[in-house]
Amino acid sequence: MKSFSPFICLFLLCLFSNSSYAQYTAKISGKVRDNQQTLPAATVLLYTFADSLLVTTAMTDQDGNFSFQAAPDKYYITCSTVGYHQVKTAAFQLTGNAAFQVPTITLKENAKKLGEVKITASKPILERKADKIILNVDAIPSAAGLNALELLIKAPGVSVDQNENISLAGKSNVLITIDGKQTYLAASDVADLLKSMQSNEIESLEMINNPGSAYDANSAGGIINIKTKKGLAEGFNGNTALSAGFNKYLLTTNSVNLNYRKKKYNVFGTYSYNRVEQERNTNIKRITPGANPLSFDQKNMDHPVVNVQNFKIGTDYFLAKNHTIGFLVKGAIVHIVQNSLSHVDIGRSYQQTDSVLITPSDALVKRKNFSYNLNYKGVLDTKGQEISIDADYSTLDARTQFNSTNLFYLPDGTFLKNGQVYRNNAPSAIGIKAIKADYVLPVNKIFKFNAGAKFSGVKSDNNYIYENNIKGDWIFDKTKSNQFIYEEKISAAYTTLNITLGKTSIQGGLRVEHTASSGNSVTTNQIAEKEYTNLFPSLLLTQNFDADNSLNLSYTRKINRPGYQNLNPFIFYIDQYTYNQGNPNLKPEYSTNLEASYLYKKKYSLALAYSHTTDVITNAILQNEDKKSVYQTFLNLSSNNLFSLVFNFPLTISSWWNMNNNVSAYYYTINAPELKGANMNTKQVSAKIYAQNNFTLSRLFSADAAVLYNTPESEASFKRRSMFKADAGLRYNFPNKLGNLKLGVNDIFHTQQSRIYSNLTGNTYDYYQSLNSTSVRLTFTYRFGKMTVKSERTRSTGVDEEQKRLGG
């Protein structure tokens, strides 16, 4: 830690030596009201008159007052708030140090208003910002009743594989956040959480391909932020959604969101319940390597029933003008019951079966994840100087019980012998503590300074208890049981400087992170300790040529640390010949990322990106020659290169038909001169094509249809075949605008199937998985209460990096 101390000292010096930078000399103040009363929480923007550049912003207080400071110049102001038309003031001249009082700004209510619900124009399906692409969920009728994981498949550049692993612009290890906050769950638990979130709860999906230094360095694969809907009113408001459907089995997702706001405080809460029942059929055909190969034709049928409850309760208390303290509690309770049956034909060839292995099994999974956040935000002056602090604590308690019986038969069905009969119990306890602080200092119209620090600690205690059934008695098997304790501490600090020169803006940043970790395999008495410090620079350049054309260039360096569970060396058996195994020797991977993106008319975009990654962490499916088994693990490859081209272009076919198209093309090179004795230097071209059609049928009815096609692609030890799917939806809006009905059909032609095969010489297998992914859902949504003021704050907590690494 000694080597890290200078960076902390530098950060603290920057943080507290800021007051001498103020360049403003005069105060501008005023009041905002409507025809009856003053308006709190209205947004006030100050622009230069000559070139309409935004100088600073303010928000009115409880009495409708606002103020800010500026240098002598000619200005004008725009003012707006929800439910009212925007107003632009006349130009005024600010001279010397004399204060200027703006004449009272009077806003007029939107004439097209029912009660207190604002009627707004429909948002486009896709929006392109300087550093992100935004998918607006409400603009897609076929999103009705879908969950967040299914919605991700609709997002440009996003892919979800057969194991529910998410990639963005061809890169895996994507950081998933909800309202800017990590979910604090294992990777598999994140998928369960996303499947429990209904589309009605989600306002938009934000894809950030190349996040800068202000974000955690462990976001090498980019960030997908799920922005949820918020209550918008002073007083009481909320919404509820009821969804039912079937995919052969009954599906249901129900949620309620409530918000209550008064002058000094805001209280909000969300609860959702989701039940999903599925049938998953998997077929694996493989030939074992070695001098005496065996053929395995394996057919698995899994029947999981997943029940998930999610809740969020929080409050914001306004201590004084521009100073807010808040508390947030979130929880996820998951209960999964799964029955499985495996049928394996074993022989010298697929046509010659010598024996049959039948393996019935059942699993019970219980997970409880709770997270607590205490936060403060203070706006220190009218220039926009502010500080925010977050303290977090998160726990995950998981219990997995698995029972399996292996029985061998002759091809004619005659019982041959008993195989292994075993069970395992895998309790897991994980705790995360973190504190972070962020500081913003607008120096003047040209310079803006940001800085922050973060300290986090994680402790994971995983126990794997394996027992064999021998003559009716359960006997503990110490050769397959294991306890693994992992501890990690990360200290980080960052600083960024934004420079705005006319239509050009530059953001340079530097982040430093120090990591100390220890992995202790208690059963085998093996301890692996690591300690390292890294620098992560970033640079973002934006050039606005005119109102219709802009260019963005970015550079970042990132790290991807191994998932906690992926470091655990224990073997988790699925049946006698199939298992998963962790790798305690995994090293973190490092990536250098470059991206150039061009935006035309704020809707047509073209992005070219390059990423070079060393010590690539890859998911590998391999065979064990001695055990005649197939297993999944994680390995480090030497390096890879990824070139990507993403083109987004909406089209207006007619007044009632709008189309949005996205084409993503990738070129991979994988360098792995030694992967289990094989040379894996490969090259691959792949693409993803997505087309979304939106139809306005009448004032109350709309519809949409979407198609997605993924070309074949490579992932080190295996290749993935092409995939196609189509969705459609119909929406009816109630005349009072308070609710709607949505009918959605997902995977109409039942083509969303996973098909992979080995990419290693001598490691022959074909993998096919079919889900009951075709579903029909009807969703009823209703809004109630006031919808005209401000909701709870959206904030980023202190554990945004740790979530995705809680599991593998």
Side-chain angles (χ1 to χ4, degrees), residues 306-594:
V306 182
N307 290 273
V308 183
Q309 299 178 77
N310 291 294
F311 70 87
K312 176 177 70 174
I313 302 173
T315 183
D316 291 327
Y317 183 76
F318 309 104
L319 299 170
K321 180 183 177 181
N322 298 328
H323 292 272
T324 307
I325 189 170
F327 182 67
L328 179 68
V329 180
K330 295 195 300 182
I333 301 173
V334 182
H335 185 275
I336 303 173
V337 176
Q338 177 171 301
N339 295 306
S340 303
L341 181 65
S342 174
H343 178 112
V344 187
D345 292 332
I346 306 171
R348 296 299 170 185
S349 69
Y350 294 134
Q351 292 74 34
Q352 181 183 349
T353 300
D354 298 326
S355 61
V356 178
L357 172 62
I358 304 294
T359 306
S361 60
D362 61 83
L364 174 63
V365 180
K366 296 180 180 179
R367 301 188 186 109
K368 294 181 180 180
N369 170 235
F370 301 104
S371 58
Y372 311 88
N373 169 257
L374 180 65
N375 59 85
Y376 162 80
K377 181 177 181 179
V379 179
L380 307 181
D381 56 29
T382 56
K383 307 191 309 289
Q385 184 180 192
E386 65 179 51
I387 186 170
S388 59
I389 301 172
D390 282 270
D392 294 271
Y393 178 64
S394 177
T395 64
L396 173 67
D397 179 54
R399 296 286 188 273
T400 301
Q401 297 175 335
F402 184 79
N403 300 278
S404 179
T405 301
N406 293 270
L407 304 170
F408 286 91
Y409 294 84
L410 294 173
D412 62 4
T414 304
F415 177 76
L416 181 61
K417 64 177 180 178
N418 288 316
Q420 296 177 357
V421 179
Y422 61 89
R423 68 183 184 186
N424 57 63
N425 182 28
S428 175
I430 300 176
I432 300 174
K433 300 176 182 178
I435 185 168
K436 79 181 186 81
D438 296 280
Y439 173 72
V440 179
L441 173 64
V443 179
N444 52 34
K445 290 192 295 183
I446 297 176
F447 297 101
K448 182 180 179 181
F449 172 78
N450 295 61
K454 175 182 173 181
F455 306 91
S456 65
V458 177
K459 183 174 182 179
S460 171
D461 188 347
N462 300 275
N463 203 358
Y464 185 74
I465 303 168
Y466 188 100
E467 296 176 305
N468 292 307
N469 191 300
I470 301 176
K471 297 181 179 179
D473 295 324
W474 291 105
I475 308 299
F476 176 73
D477 189 338
K478 66 179 181 180
T479 64
K480 296 179 180 177
S481 300
N482 181 33
Q483 183 181 9
F484 182 72
I485 299 175
Y486 182 82
E487 295 186 69
E488 181 181 84
K489 295 181 179 179
I490 299 177
S491 303
Y494 78 89
T495 180
T496 64
L497 179 64
N498 294 268
I499 303 173
T500 303
L501 300 170
K503 295 181 179 180
T504 303
S505 63
I506 304 171
Q507 183 194 88
L510 179 65
R511 187 179 188 92
V512 59
E513 293 191 353
H514 176 84
T515 305
S517 64
S518 173
N520 180 11
S521 183
V522 177
T523 306
T524 60
N525 196 29
Q526 293 179 321
I527 299 177
E529 295 183 340
K530 297 177 183 178
E531 187 170 358
Y532 48 92
T533 301
N534 299 115
L535 295 175
F536 301 99
S538 67
L539 181 65
L540 174 64
L541 170 66
T542 300
Q543 178 65 50
N544 295 305
F545 300 104
D546 52 40
D548 292 334
N549 297 272
S550 64
L551 176 67
N552 298 278
L553 303 174
S554 64
Y555 157 80
T556 63
R557 183 173 185 264
K558 295 291 183 178
I559 187 175
N560 176 43
R561 300 180 181 90
Y564 309 129
Q565 303 286 41
N566 296 339
L567 295 166
N568 191 337
F570 74 72
I571 296 176
F572 180 82
Y573 285 89
I574 298 172
D575 60 39
Q576 191 164 330
Y577 293 105
T578 312
Y579 62 91
N580 296 325
Q581 183 174 15
N583 180 2
N585 298 315
L586 275 180
K587 297 181 291 184
E589 64 180 26
Y590 296 89
S591 66
T592 299
N593 309 284
L594 300 170

Side-chain angles (χ1 to χ4, degrees), residues 641-751:
N641 295 283
L642 171 63
F643 297 86
S644 66
L645 181 66
V646 180
F647 182 34
N648 186 74
F649 55 104
L651 296 174
T652 300
I653 308 299
S654 69
S655 60
W656 54 273
W657 181 5
N658 291 299
M659 188 177 187
N660 193 82
N661 307 281
N662 182 271
V663 178
S664 305
Y666 312 106
Y667 174 67
Y668 302 85
T669 65
I670 300 173
N671 302 308
E674 178 57 37
L675 178 59
K676 296 298 180 180
N679 187 316
M680 275 299 301
N681 296 332
T682 60
K683 299 177 181 180
Q684 173 81 41
V685 176
S686 62
K688 176 181 177 180
I689 302 171
Y690 177 68
Q692 174 81 38
N693 299 271
N694 212 34
F695 309 100
T696 302
L697 306 179
S698 69
R699 186 176 65 87
L700 300 179
F701 282 96
S702 62
D704 78 311
V707 292
L708 169 69
Y709 176 71
N710 285 344
T711 67
E713 57 186 351
S714 180
E715 190 171 331
S717 69
F718 58 86
K719 291 184 178 181
R720 186 177 292 110
R721 291 182 167 89
S722 61
M723 188 273 288
F724 168 82
K725 69 170 298 203
D727 305 327
L730 179 67
R731 176 169 58 193
Y732 170 73
N733 294 315
F734 297 156
N736 62 9
K737 304 296 183 180
L738 293 177
N740 58 63
L741 279 173
K742 298 178 184 178
L743 178 66
V745 183
N746 193 48
D747 192 18
I748 297 172
F749 303 107
H750 195 63
T751 52

Side-chain angles (χ1 to χ4, degrees), residues 118-134:
K118 181 190 173 190
I119 308 302
T120 60
S122 298
K123 289 185 177 181
I125 293 175
L126 280 174
E127 295 180 84
R128 173 76 190 193
K129 303 294 186 182
D131 62 340
K132 70 182 72 171
I133 295 177
I134 302 172

Side-chain angles (χ1 to χ4, degrees), residues 71-306:
D73 204 342
K74 193 173 184 180
Y75 299 100
Y76 69 87
I77 285 174
T78 66
C79 181
S80 62
T81 191
V82 177
Y84 293 82
H85 292 291
Q86 185 184 76
V87 168
K88 179 180 176 180
T89 70
F92 59 88
Q93 183 71 45
L94 192 65
T95 58
N97 295 321
F100 183 84
Q101 182 69 30
V102 179
T104 298
I105 300 173
T106 302
L107 301 184
K108 293 184 179 180
E109 293 186 78
N110 193 325
K112 293 182 179 180
K113 187 175 108 167
L114 178 68
E116 297 199 40
V117 180
K118 181 190 173 190
I119 308 302
T120 60
S122 298
K123 289 185 177 181
I125 293 175
L126 280 174
E127 295 180 84
R128 173 76 190 193
K129 303 294 186 182
D131 62 340
K132 70 182 72 171
I133 295 177
I134 302 172
L135 177 71
N136 292 305
V137 176
D138 240 8
I140 310 174
S142 64
L146 296 186
N147 60 55
L149 192 67
E150 293 166 329
L151 281 174
L152 285 180
I153 300 174
K154 295 178 175 290
V158 178
S159 297
V160 180
D161 69 12
Q162 76 280 359
N163 293 318
E164 298 178 338
N165 297 311
I166 301 165
S167 62
L168 175 62
K171 296 184 289 185
S172 56
N173 307 307
V174 179
L175 180 64
I176 304 295
T177 61
I178 299 175
D179 290 328
K181 308 172 187 64
Q182 193 92 20
T183 49
Y184 321 139
L185 299 173
S188 57
D189 298 335
V190 170
D192 290 335
L193 174 61
L194 295 180
K195 286 186 287 187
S196 74
M197 293 183 65
Q198 188 182 5
S199 59
N200 175 71
E201 304 173 50
I202 301 170
E203 179 178 321
S204 62
L205 304 177
E206 300 176 339
M207 282 65 68
I208 307 172
N209 288 351
N210 207 10
S213 298
Y215 296 93
D216 287 300
N218 205 55
S219 54
I223 296 174
I224 299 176
N225 181 49
I226 301 173
K227 187 176 180 181
T228 59
K229 294 179 179 178
K230 308 295 191 303
L232 298 174
E234 181 167 304
F236 176 73
N237 70 89
N239 66 78
T240 186
L242 305 175
S243 177
F246 62 91
N247 62 355
K248 183 179 178 180
Y249 302 101
L250 179 65
L251 307 170
T252 182
T253 303
N254 308 285
S255 66
V256 60
N257 299 275
L258 303 174
N259 193 80
Y260 182 76
R261 181 184 177 91
K262 280 295 185 181
K263 290 185 177 181
K264 284 291 186 179
Y265 64 90
N266 186 45
V267 180
F268 51 92
T270 300
Y271 173 80
S272 66
Y273 168 73
N274 183 41
R275 182 187 185 276
V276 177
E277 188 170 358
Q278 283 189 322
E279 187 175 287
R280 182 169 55 236
N281 293 285
T282 306
N283 184 204
I284 305 174
K285 300 183 74 171
R286 63 186 179 89
I287 300 174
T288 63
N292 298 303
L294 284 177
S295 296
F296 288 76
D297 187 352
Q298 180 174 347
K299 296 178 177 65
N300 290 356
M301 194 285 288
D302 301 312
H303 184 189
V305 180
V306 182

